[in-house]
Amino acid sequence: MESDAPFRTAYESALADLRRGELPRAEGRLRQLLAQRPDDVNALRALGITVGAHGRAAEGLQLLERAVARAPDFAHALADLGAAYRTAGRLDEAAQALARATRLAPALHVAWRRLGDVYVELGREADGNAAYERALATDPARDRFAGAAAALARGDARAAESVYRGRLQEDMNDVGALCGLAAVSLSAGYPRDGERLLRHALRESPHLPLAWRGLAQALLDAGRLDEAEQAALHALRVDARSAAGWVLLGSIRAHRLHGEDAVAAYDRALALEPAQVRVLLSKGHVLKTLGRRAECEQAYRACLALDPTFAEAYCSLADLKNYEFAAADVDAMEQLAARCAEHDPGRAPLEFALGRAYEQRGDYARSFEHYRAGNRARRRRAPFDAAGFEHKCERIARFFDSARFEAYAAAGARDPAPIFVVGLPRSGSTLVEQMLACHADVEGTMELPNLVTIVRELDHAGGRPDAYPESVAALDAAACTVLGERYLRETRAWRGTRPRFVDKMPNNFSHVGLLQLILPRATVIDVRRHPLDACLSAYKQYFAQGQSFTHDLEDLGRYYRAYRELMAHWDRVLPGKVLRVRYETLVTDAEAEVRRLLAHCGLAYDPACLRFHESRRPVRTASSEQVRQPLYDSAIGYWRHYAEQLEPLRRSLGAALDDYADT
């Protein structure tokens, strides 16, 4: 045994080199060992893996065959030989070798995973999925990964990342760790990092449904919807009984505005697992965008039948705006609120629903107390840095000055297709979009994430946080053109054949300067509403995410002032670029405003724009129910019902109210 120690030490060093990807060093060590012991099966196997990974597949396969010939029951070598046969296209031999490996070593998870890949390529998807399930069940890191997943679910991304990175230090190609670390990246809002990790995992296991579902989510988060759908479909081809896979496909199709297909996917998920209350909720949301009101209510009610404490269903009913809560509903919500702890995640949506219920009854004081309580709960979870936002707006205004635009006069993609509708949420932007989308030459889309994604990347340029807008200085005219072309390419997933399209992400008002550099011929429309009405409406709205400034009246006032000042800056440095549309004028003098709006877009007048409420197009915003009704003016001056409660907002708005001094 003493004489074996140096050989064993050298062999372990070679394996360490192999795991780190230092292939030439590993190969050198292994060839020295085989010079001493030409028939050592461990060294033969390791050298076969090494030269195969170095691009010499045929030589690697021969070495693995030699190892198995000398040790026919060597399960690990059989697993590697099966992988080599698969690479060579010898699928039947691969399946035989891998099946034998799993019989000899039922706990050898890598053999099960590779067998799954081979079965899928042989067209035996069900057998492949069964093999993948065995691979997950036999993974020696399974308990560590389960703990990491639990940590990520409770918001401890750092703990989860530590586990996955630790495993990748042991084996840089561990598929489970790559998928887990990708999930951490996606949770932090870095879909490109997630995609890179998942594609690495798929090089190791090209058909693993877990990796394909993760890739579909990464592509969805990046706004690459066609690719996301194909990835989700690939996962379902192998694992058709995955409820999570059907839910993901439904989400992708909902984002693509393929509402009927999304509902069908959610129904498949519910057929597999009927008690998924959140899937029912998502189905209800899609039915709402499709205008299938009765079925939408039925879905929300089904959520409450499954779980009477599911406050988001009540909040979703409230978000229908013209849904009338019965007295029994209010009693049920009050009883639920009495049992609901202050820090319970369901507390905020329940308070918003109660606010709406009492508002319907004309009890505005009681209504406002519930809205205030709901916003207070949301603010605890998502505080807003008003001073930071104001400073950011000041930096944007300083950076994007007249000289900048003159220097970049030749930059950007010249396509005039995009029409950006910006402003505060709940200010009438959905109404403007709906009117434009009824024009024969305009495609209505949704609040597109693509420009926000570009800005987020610029904000983290060079690995530094908060780098935007100064990071734009590193872009030359050609780079700006590339970004504009990227935006146009990535938004095609939401567009049809019409020459123009609307992107109505309200927060894009901050990025008019960047738009001028990357899409100089794009149209920009700023929809403005009385600040007390606009801010109140935003305060009462339970936004899914991303509008944390709406949770406090003072923050709302400061945000509105910063928005107003930045829009005034764009008017100074880009005169005529932005058309300002007043919601109140649009409602009371619709035809004249529509003509002005279309003229600014370079479009001929189309009377269909005034029949916007007849459109059946999907609408994915909080205003979807309102824009299916003819114009009404009852929302103008609605803030007066809450005049006393809105005094903090009035003080915070200050001079911003001067624009509406006559109303």
Side-chain angles (χ1 to χ4, degrees), residues 48-65:
I49 297 170
T50 301
V51 299
H54 215 191
R56 289 138 55 201
E59 183 184 355
L61 192 152
Q62 290 175 354
L63 288 162
L64 290 165
E65 286 180 327

Side-chain angles (χ1 to χ4, degrees), residues 250-251 253-255 258-263 266 281-292 296 300 618-620:
S251 180
R253 288 176 167 172
H255 277 80
H258 296 174
E260 301 292 350
D261 292 336
V263 170
Y266 288 138
L281 186 74
S282 296
K283 178 183 174 181
H285 294 341
V286 175
L287 291 167
K288 175 184 172 183
T289 71
L290 292 170
R292 292 164 58 179
C296 166
Y300 294 153
V619 181
R620 282 177 52 88

Side-chain angles (χ1 to χ4, degrees), residues 30-257:
L30 291 165
R31 289 199 182 279
Q32 290 175 2
L33 293 172
L34 286 168
Q36 300 172 40
R37 300 183 185 179
D39 293 330
D40 186 272
V41 292
N42 288 305
L44 281 169
R45 173 201 171 217
L47 183 59
I49 297 170
T50 301
V51 299
H54 215 191
R56 289 138 55 201
E59 183 184 355
L61 192 152
Q62 290 175 354
L63 288 162
L64 290 165
E65 286 180 327
R66 281 177 57 191
V68 170
R70 283 162 175 72
D73 292 340
F74 188 3
H76 288 79
L78 278 163
D80 296 323
L81 179 60
Y85 279 141
R86 178 186 162 271
T87 300
R90 295 159 63 176
L91 296 181
D92 289 331
E93 292 166 279
Q96 292 169 15
L98 289 161
R100 178 166 170 74
T102 60
R103 288 195 296 272
L104 290 166
L108 186 55
H109 84 288
V110 69
W112 286 111
R113 178 168 55 73
R114 291 171 178 171
L115 184 58
D117 290 329
V118 172
Y119 278 154
V120 171
E121 290 173 11
L122 285 169
R124 297 167 57 182
E125 284 85 358
D127 290 335
N129 193 51
Y132 289 134
E133 290 177 354
R134 290 293 298 273
L136 292 171
T138 55
D139 189 338
R142 180 184 181 187
D143 290 343
R144 290 164 64 186
F145 291 164
L152 184 59
R154 64 175 179 266
D156 192 351
R158 182 169 296 181
E161 182 177 1
S162 176
V163 171
Y164 296 129
R165 288 198 183 279
R167 178 63 186 125
L168 288 171
Q169 288 174 355
E170 299 166 5
D171 181 356
M172 62 185 291
N173 296 316
D174 187 284
V175 172
L178 289 165
C179 290
L181 192 57
V184 173
S185 294
L186 294 180
S187 71
Y190 297 109
R192 289 196 170 188
D193 289 345
E195 179 186 359
R196 176 180 53 80
L197 290 161
L198 289 159
R199 291 202 184 279
H200 184 168
L202 288 167
R203 286 194 292 274
E204 298 298 314
S205 184
H207 305 292
L208 185 68
L210 175 66
W212 279 102
R213 285 194 292 270
L215 181 61
Q217 185 65 59
L219 294 167
L220 170 60
D221 291 351
R224 292 155 59 188
L225 300 187
D226 288 341
E227 296 170 82
E229 183 165 357
Q230 290 307 308
L233 288 169
H234 188 93
L236 286 166
R237 181 168 72 86
V238 178
D239 187 8
R241 294 194 60 77
S242 167
W246 287 107
V247 171
L248 178 57
L249 181 62
S251 180
I252 293 167
R253 288 176 167 172
H255 277 80
R256 295 194 68 183
L257 303 182

